[in-house]
């Protein structure tokens, strides 16, 4: 049994789950803004843009995870330094996405936005 390979797969699985969960909650927040009509207010538009930027970051993080898995066109990196570098980049994207989404929830909570 390859323990290093098993650890790599587990780490990849955990990161994929994080990205998937954040994409789901991001989508739900955009749907709430749209369905409530607040997306078309100035505050709602700012919140929607922040969620869109967060979504773009999450998509890029997902592409990096695909690269790490070797499932995509580009072969998976083999050097531990390169693997760690890609995971750090994914962590940065997740943090930036959280900041964009979190700022959206604190500054302009969907429940506090005026309806149209």
């Amino acid at each position: 049994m390859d323990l290093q390979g098993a650890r790599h797969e587990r780490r990849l699985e955990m990161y994929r789950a994080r990205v998937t969960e954040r994409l789901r909650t991001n989508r739900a927040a955009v749907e709430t803004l749209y369905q409530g009509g607040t997306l078309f207010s100035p505050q709602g538009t700012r919140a929607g843009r922040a969620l869109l930027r967060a979504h773009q970051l999450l998509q890029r993080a997902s592409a990096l995870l695909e690269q790490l898995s070797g499932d995509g066109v580009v072969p998976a990196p083999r050097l531990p330094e390169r693997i760690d570098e890609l995971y750090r980049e994914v962590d940065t994207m997740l943090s930036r996405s959280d900041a964009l989404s979190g700022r959206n929830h604190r500054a302009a909570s969907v429940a506090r936005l005026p309806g149209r």
Side-chain angles (χ1 to χ4, degrees), residues 9 12 16 63-77:
E9 287 299 318
L12 193 58
R16 281 182 176 158
L64 287 177
L65 292 175
E66 182 178 309
Q67 182 181 349
L68 281 163
S69 71
D71 293 338
V73 178
V74 179

Side-chain angles (χ1 to χ4, degrees), residues 33 43-44 46-47 102-113:
L33 282 172
Q43 288 176 323
R46 279 191 296 275
R103 190 174 333 116
N104 168 43
H105 295 299
R106 282 191 301 274
S109 172
V110 174
R112 292 188 303 223
L113 290 174

Side-chain angles (χ1 to χ4, degrees), residues 61-112:
S62 182
L64 287 177
L65 292 175
E66 182 178 309
Q67 182 181 349
L68 281 163
S69 71
D71 293 338
V73 178
V74 179
R78 293 186 181 165
L79 294 174
E81 299 84 24
R82 179 64 180 143
I83 292 170
D84 289 340
E85 178 184 328
L86 288 175
Y87 276 117
R88 279 192 302 275
E89 194 172 341
V90 170
D91 282 334
T92 301
M93 288 179 188
L94 288 172
S95 296
R96 289 176 60 200
S97 171
D98 287 347
L100 286 167
S101 298
R103 190 174 333 116
N104 168 43
H105 295 299
R106 282 191 301 274
S109 172
V110 174
R112 292 188 303 223

Side-chain angles (χ1 to χ4, degrees), residues 3-33:
L3 290 179
Q4 185 175 3
R7 279 189 212 112
H8 176 69
E9 287 299 318
R10 178 69 179 138
R11 186 178 187 188
L12 193 58
E13 181 182 314
M14 286 174 28
Y15 273 88
R16 281 182 176 158
R18 287 179 190 168
V19 169
T20 300
E21 176 61 23
R22 284 173 173 87
L23 282 169
R24 188 189 62 73
T25 57
N26 192 345
R27 182 182 183 103
V30 170
E31 287 175 359
T32 301
L33 282 172

